[in-house]
Amino acid sequence: MSKQKSKSIDSTILKQAFIEAFRKLNPKILMKNPVIFIVEVGFFLTLLLSIKPDIFSEKEANLRLFNIIICLILFVTVLFANFAEAIAEGRGKAQADSLKKTRKSTVANPLKEDGTTVQVDASSLKKGDIVIVNTGEIIPNDGVVIEGIASVDESAITGESAPVVKEAGGDFSAVTGGTHVVSDKIKIEISVSAGESFLDKMINLVEGAERKKTPNEIALNTLLVGLTLIFLVVIVTLLPMGLYVGIHLPLSTLIALLVCLIPTTIGGLLSAIGIAGMDRVNKFNVIAMSGKAVENCGDINTIILDKTGTVTFGNRLASEFIPVEGVTSEEIMEYSVISSLKDLTPEGRSIVELGKRLGYIADESKYTKAEFLEFSAQTKTSGVNLEDGRKIRKGSGSSIKKFVENENGVIPRDLDEKVDRVSRLGGTPLVLAVDNRVLGVIYLKDTVKPGLKERFDNIRRMGIKTIMCTGDNALTAETIAKEAGIDEFVAECTPENKIEVIRREQEQGKLVAMTGDGTNDAPALAQADVGIAMNSGTIAAKEAANMVDLDSDPTKILEVVEIGKQLLITRGALTTFSIANDIAKYFAIIPAIFIIAIPQMEILNIMKLSSPTTAIISTLIFNAIIIPLLVPIALRGVAYKPMKAELMLLKNLAIYGIGGLIAPFIGIKLIDIIITPILRVLGV
């Protein structure tokens, strides 16, 4: 599991949140939260009544102090709701400020047409410019290494102190502006214009200044507005009902009743829950491009996983050269090493190293004119065309068989047995051929990461299916899938196959998540409902995804899905708690309103509150203070354990439903006991 960044709520964040809470009192801002906006309207009406109590009715002339108390409580209620949102935003802005400190004014060394360099300000660079970055210099903007290899310190973004290797070609060529070169020199092609770097995007995202509401938030907000309108109609009808039974209901009392009955608690916490969800993702060093991406994680049904680097360690290293019948160990070793001299992948390098350990060192000067072929995801082979016309190829069993058959060769009888033996061991069999002749199998050893089986069991308990995609043959894939506890696998998988798998799941109405780092992963990342790109990956992958993992840990997808689940559960739990609160408020405030005209209503005063006035004020105070009391839960999230959705629903109904029902009875009664003597002294 990735380390979490500690971002406690310090005094600076609290101070800024307090200031922001007052700024958000602006009705233009508050109108975005209709429930709390209604409370603010109530505040202004009671403020008017506090100044001139008899403005609407002469019967209310002696209610000035009561109106002032109601007015102050409503003001504090709005302030608390604003504070909850502001403190969630403040944590994101604190992280943004930290990132801004790393965005320094840097000097770049762009290449001129004559091959010389000139120093310019990094902000003047344009997409497509070629720059040289030397040891100790800061990379001026996002780009791709097109020449050279260097160690790059990315701690300004990832928080990791260990430098990472960046080199031309492959999936580890992308570099990020603001990071700096620790050793060597690289040539970079700038891929974005000034102000559009990944660091700039991170700052904008974590600030959350323009955070859009997610679909679930919009739906819940619509429900809350609907409930508010229903209660508004109910309160309006109480006025003629009161007159009918001979009771004059003061306007401030009706406003207090309305505020207590509408879902103010969840209305005040809704935005904070959404912002905090994105913040929790950021703590895991994952940057979400939108709140919708985080929310989608909570609804994920299927996770697509690569084998190498995700399920297994990924450092598939050559362990053994296994010749087929009629081929010597020396012959397969020699041609394996020759085919890998220019293969810069970990597998290729390990083949050369294994040859050296076994006593064979190739003379590279003999192969300067040879044509080396990089691995292709389409052909699933790599190799070399020698100057004398010989073709050496290594790759998956099926692809090499196809190559040999195209060269009119014969497949050895014992090849399948040797491939199967390596596959049953959980390794990757790399078949080697020269022209139309198969020489044998290179055993690439890989290992399932410890603890993954238990984590996949947790994922399964959530009702989520896991599918492993791998370029290995079916037997290897099956062995690894069984060992890791994965539900399904797709062997000899191409980039097109990944898209097909994602579409197949989506056509069944499922939401799909996947990780990737290469350019060939970009289409699948774009197709998935949640695509997590590795920060070490290509720019194409990062642009196609809606999340970027700064630690480049492919297993991070498991944590992100759990955070998404936690976000939805937190929102549901606090909504349940808020609505359950209303039941106690009915028993507190409605008897208080009608008890004078209808003495029989005393039977509903089960809390035995001191008087109608204390009942109204106690309920209103509880309604206000419950918002800041729930802020820690909104920010931290409800404690989450992997389980089926039905069990999670029952658990939360038991805790937050029953808890939301009982807590107000206790809280309102305690407040009533405390304020009764105070109100008597004040003469209210």
Side-chain angles (χ1 to χ4, degrees):
M1 182 179 291
S2 171
K3 69 180 189 318
Q4 283 184 292
K5 287 181 178 178
S6 171
K7 269 190 293 180
S8 59
I9 302 174
D10 57 26
S11 58
T12 304
I13 294 176
L14 288 172
K15 181 180 178 181
Q16 187 60 39
F18 185 71
I19 295 170
E20 280 293 304
F22 279 92
R23 188 184 69 82
K24 289 176 180 289
L25 290 172
N26 184 338
K28 289 183 179 179
I29 298 175
L30 212 57
M31 283 180 70
K32 296 177 183 178
N33 189 339
V35 176
I36 303 303
F37 178 70
I38 291 291
V39 181
E40 186 174 50
V41 171
F43 157 69
F44 284 120
L45 287 174
T46 52
L47 179 63
L48 184 61
L49 290 170
S50 299
I51 298 169
K52 191 171 175 56
D54 58 352
I55 189 170
F56 296 113
S57 173
E58 293 182 359
K59 294 181 180 179
E60 300 180 24
N62 61 341
L63 294 177
R64 183 187 300 274
L65 187 54
F66 177 75
N67 293 339
I68 290 173
I69 293 172
I70 299 297
C71 176
L72 289 173
I73 297 173
L74 295 183
F75 176 75
V76 170
T77 303
V78 177
L79 205 62
F80 281 161
N82 290 346
F83 183 76
E85 182 176 9
I87 202 168
E89 290 176 346
R91 298 202 306 178
K93 289 177 180 177
Q95 186 183 8
D97 290 338
S98 176
L99 290 170
K100 285 176 181 177
K101 292 177 183 177
T102 68
R103 187 171 58 183
K104 302 172 183 176
S105 178
T106 59
V107 174
N109 305 308
L111 272 177
K112 297 167 67 177
E113 291 182 2
D114 60 4
T116 60
T117 60
V118 59
Q119 283 197 344
V120 301
D121 189 271
S123 61
S124 66
L125 292 176
K126 302 184 297 296
K127 185 176 180 180
D129 285 348
I130 307 297
V131 299
I132 301 293
V133 186
N134 298 294
T135 302
E137 293 180 346
I138 294 176
I139 294 172
N141 209 340
D142 295 358
V144 178
V145 179
I146 58 175
E147 186 179 306
I149 180 171
S151 294
V152 178
D153 179 2
E154 296 186 328
S155 58
I157 293 176
T158 66
E160 292 286 354
S161 57
V164 294
V165 176
K166 298 289 183 178
E167 57 186 319
D171 293 338
F172 296 93
S173 58
V175 290
T176 306
T179 59
H180 75 272
V181 175
V182 177
S183 66
D184 302 297
K185 178 176 74 173
I186 47 177
K187 184 187 290 185
I188 299 170
E189 180 180 350
I190 300 300
S191 58
V192 298
S193 300
E196 298 176 358
S197 70
F198 184 61
L199 188 59
D200 291 315
K201 291 178 182 177
M202 282 177 62
I203 291 169
N204 292 334
L205 286 165
V206 298
E207 274 187 316
E210 300 298 328
R211 191 184 76 91
K212 295 181 180 179
K213 290 185 182 295
T214 64
N216 279 354
E217 272 186 286
I218 293 171
L220 183 54
N221 205 50
T222 303
L223 173 64
L224 298 182
V225 170
L227 289 173
T228 300
L229 291 174
I230 291 170
F231 283 121
L232 186 60
V233 172
V234 170
I235 297 303
V236 170
T237 59
L238 281 180
L239 189 60
M241 287 175 60
L243 294 174
Y244 178 77
V245 296
I247 302 175
H248 171 72
L249 296 174
L251 181 59
S252 53
T253 299
L254 292 175
I255 291 171
L257 178 59
L258 175 63
V259 170
C260 287
L261 296 185
I262 64 176
T264 50
T265 305
I266 188 61
L269 295 171
L270 190 57
S271 292
I273 294 168
I275 295 169
M278 291 189 68
D279 184 67
R280 282 196 296 277
V281 170
N282 292 340
K283 282 185 177 182
F284 277 90
N285 261 5
V286 175
I287 297 297
M289 301 305 179
S290 67
K292 182 180 179 182
V294 180
E295 195 172 80
N296 278 346
C297 288
D299 290 324
I300 287 298
N301 308 106
T302 305
I303 298 178
I304 309 292
L305 300 153
D306 275 327
K307 178 181 82 72
T308 306
T310 304
V311 179
T312 61
F313 279 107
N315 51 343
R316 300 184 301 174
L317 304 181
S319 176
E320 184 181 359
F321 298 117
I322 307 172
V324 294
E325 187 178 354
V327 177
T328 65
S329 299
E330 290 76 14
E331 187 178 10
I332 184 176
M333 178 170 59
E334 177 185 352
Y335 283 105
S336 296
V337 172
I338 293 170
S339 70
S340 305
L341 288 175
K342 297 294 183 181
D343 186 347
L344 300 180
T345 63
E347 294 86 350
R349 290 171 179 169
S350 72
I351 290 171
V352 176
E353 288 299 319
L354 178 61
K356 287 180 180 179
R357 289 201 304 272
L358 296 177
Y360 178 77
I361 301 175
D363 184 356
E364 295 189 38
S365 63
K366 293 181 180 180
Y367 309 104
T368 54
K369 295 183 179 180
E371 180 190 5
F372 287 90
L373 307 175
E374 293 184 3
F375 176 80
S376 166
Q378 301 300 323
T379 63
K380 296 187 180 301
T381 63
S382 64
V384 59
N385 294 331
L386 298 179
E387 191 177 359
D388 60 10
R390 285 178 295 169
K391 300 176 183 177
I392 307 175
R393 296 290 185 273
K394 63 178 187 289
S396 67
S398 59
S399 61
I400 295 300
K401 283 181 180 180
K402 187 176 180 180
F403 169 77
V404 170
E405 288 169 352
N406 288 340
E407 297 286 326
N408 298 317
V410 178
I411 307 301
R413 289 176 301 176
D414 60 338
L415 177 63
D416 288 341
E417 181 271 325
K418 295 183 184 301
V419 168
D420 290 347
R421 179 166 67 85
V422 172
S423 298
R424 281 194 295 271
L425 294 171
T428 299
L430 203 61
V431 180
L432 181 78
V434 179
D435 293 330
N436 63 354
R437 181 167 165 250
V438 175
L439 299 187
V441 177
I442 304 169
Y443 175 14
L444 298 180
K445 196 170 185 179
D446 203 353
T447 309
V448 173
K449 292 181 178 179
L452 267 192
K453 184 170 176 39
E454 292 74 17
R455 296 180 68 186
F456 286 136
D457 288 341
N458 288 341
I459 290 288
R460 194 174 297 106
R461 280 196 287 272
M462 297 182 212
I464 298 174
K465 180 170 72 174
T466 51
I467 301 176
M468 181 183 74
C469 292
T470 175
D472 291 332
N473 63 56
L475 193 53
T476 299
E478 183 180 10
T479 302
I480 295 294
K482 283 183 178 178
E483 186 178 345
I486 291 173
D487 299 316
E488 292 183 17
F489 64 88
V490 179
E492 300 186 5
C493 185
T494 64
E496 290 78 13
N497 294 145
K498 286 184 181 179
I499 297 177
E500 289 171 8
V501 172
I502 292 170
R503 286 177 177 165
R504 182 194 73 197
E505 294 294 311
Q506 289 173 333
E507 285 169 2
Q508 297 174 23
K510 299 177 180 179
L511 293 185
V512 182
M514 77 159 285
T515 60
D517 58 5
T519 300
N520 59 355
D521 289 326
L525 288 169
Q527 179 68 37
D529 299 284
V530 175
I532 304 179
M534 302 298 102
N535 188 45
S536 61
T538 62
I539 290 172
K542 287 193 272 190
E543 289 180 346
N546 47 26
M547 289 187 176
V548 176
D549 174 22
L550 302 180
D551 292 333
S552 300
D553 176 6
T555 62
K556 193 77 68 66
I557 191 171
L558 305 179
E559 277 94 355
V560 173
V561 167
E562 289 183 357
I563 291 170
K565 292 279 186 188
Q566 188 184 41
L567 169 63
L568 296 183
I569 290 167
T570 300
R571 188 182 294 149
L574 293 184
T575 300
T576 302
F577 186 90
S578 176
I579 293 173
N581 272 194
D582 287 346
I583 297 174
K585 296 171 189 174
Y586 301 151
F587 283 98
I589 208 167
I590 291 179
I593 293 175
F594 292 101
I595 200 167
I596 296 174
I598 310 174
Q600 292 85 350
M601 294 286 283
E602 175 65 30
I603 196 172
L604 295 179
N605 184 18
I606 59 176
M607 286 181 273
K608 303 300 178 184
L609 302 178
S610 302
S611 69
T613 300
T614 61
I616 294 169
I617 293 175
S618 298
T619 306
L620 210 55
I621 290 173
F622 177 85
N623 192 64
I625 64 174
I626 197 63
I627 295 175
L629 290 177
L630 292 176
V631 165
I633 296 177
L635 297 182
R636 185 179 63 250
V638 171
Y640 172 69
K641 290 183 180 178
M643 63 179 68
K644 292 285 186 182
E646 298 83 0
L647 293 175
M648 181 61 70
L649 177 62
L650 291 173
K651 177 185 175 183
N652 285 333
L653 283 176
I655 296 174
Y656 292 93
I658 297 174
L661 184 65
I662 296 172
F665 281 97
I666 299 171
I668 292 171
K669 179 60 179 177
L670 287 175
I671 295 169
D672 179 78
I673 294 171
I674 294 169
I675 68 169
T676 296
I678 298 172
L679 293 179
R680 283 176 183 164
V681 171
L682 295 174
V684 179

